[in-house]
Amino acid sequence: MAEAEYVTRVAAPVARVWEFVHEMDNWAAFLRGYQSHEKQGERDSIWVLKGDVGAVTRTVKFHVHIDEWDAPAQVRFTLRGLNEEMNGGGSFLLQPAAATASAQPPGSAARRPGWFARLVRWAYRRIFGRSERAASAAGAADGVAGAEYSQLGFQLRIAPGGPMGPLVDAMLTPLMLPVAEELAEKIAARLEERAR
């Protein structure tokens, strides 16, 4: 199963971050490969993502179900592939953060990616670039006078199935962290841009 977890700090109070992330229309287009999404009800939607995995370009449709809205701390969801055998899920996790605190959760150093994952992350950034916020040395959240800070975490896991599942999993795994990082940083940048 391909998994990623990324945490960043945002110069905005938890309530404002929650208001933004609990409504998918606010951030859906920030996801790498985003083509479209259509709400099917309050908790269900259909997402279309197009991605390159190795030399293969695929368009994948997912049914996304919101399992839990725990305001203002968590949005948890599950994914089910409609045209590909892929299942998974993830969450947004929010909590207050000190202005000088590290954005990484306790124990994250133990989960540091291996050399191959770091190489893929570097290549991903070289090809697709980084958000302006992520590219700055200290992050845009640093130095915002009087700002209230939040910690925004994004977790994602995808388990490809079928006969090609193990191969797809091997190709997806190193790409997950850069995708999670990019999404969280774009959300943080948008919130901080609105706060100015």
Side-chain angles (χ1 to χ4, degrees), residues 62-84:
F62 287 103
H63 174 259
V64 179
H65 177 75
I66 304 295
D67 298 314
E68 180 180 3
W69 271 314
D70 182 15
Q74 176 175 277
V75 177
R76 194 170 47 82
F77 58 91
T78 53
L79 306 168
R80 181 176 47 85
L82 297 175
N83 64 332
E84 299 280 345

Side-chain angles (χ1 to χ4, degrees), residues 83-130:
N83 64 332
E84 299 280 345
E85 287 189 52
M86 290 191 177
N87 295 304
S91 62
F92 285 102
L93 303 168
L94 306 167
Q95 63 184 12
T100 58
S102 167
Q104 294 302 316
S108 64
R111 292 189 303 264
R112 185 174 175 191
W115 71 269
F116 182 71
R118 289 193 307 270
L119 176 66
V120 170
R121 189 176 182 191
W122 173 83
Y124 182 93
R125 288 178 178 165
R126 296 286 295 178
I127 294 167
F128 296 113
R130 296 177 70 182

Side-chain angles (χ1 to χ4, degrees), residues 24-179:
M24 71 182 69
D25 292 338
N26 291 331
W27 55 265
F30 295 161
L31 192 58
R32 172 73 50 196
Y34 172 83
Q35 300 296 303
S36 66
H37 76 281
E38 179 182 333
K39 291 181 180 177
Q40 304 287 303
E42 185 177 311
R43 291 185 177 261
D44 295 288
S45 58
I46 304 296
W47 289 61
V48 179
L49 303 173
K50 184 176 181 178
D52 298 319
V53 181
V56 178
T57 299
R58 303 292 286 193
T59 300
V60 181
K61 288 185 178 183
F62 287 103
H63 174 259
V64 179
H65 177 75
I66 304 295
D67 298 314
E68 180 180 3
W69 271 314
D70 182 15
Q74 176 175 277
V75 177
R76 194 170 47 82
F77 58 91
T78 53
L79 306 168
R80 181 176 47 85
L82 297 175
N83 64 332
E84 299 280 345
E85 287 189 52
M86 290 191 177
N87 295 304
S91 62
F92 285 102
L93 303 168
L94 306 167
Q95 63 184 12
T100 58
S102 167
Q104 294 302 316
S108 64
R111 292 189 303 264
R112 185 174 175 191
W115 71 269
F116 182 71
R118 289 193 307 270
L119 176 66
V120 170
R121 189 176 182 191
W122 173 83
Y124 182 93
R125 288 178 178 165
R126 296 286 295 178
I127 294 167
F128 296 113
R130 296 177 70 182
S131 69
E132 289 180 28
R133 181 180 191 272
S136 72
D142 292 337
V144 178
E148 207 177 315
Y149 290 83
S150 300
Q151 182 173 291
L152 168 64
F154 177 61
Q155 300 172 337
L156 181 63
R157 66 188 180 287
I158 297 178
M164 296 297 290
L167 178 61
V168 173
D169 185 64
M171 291 189 297
L172 270 180
T173 296
L175 295 173
M176 296 289 283
L177 183 58
V179 168

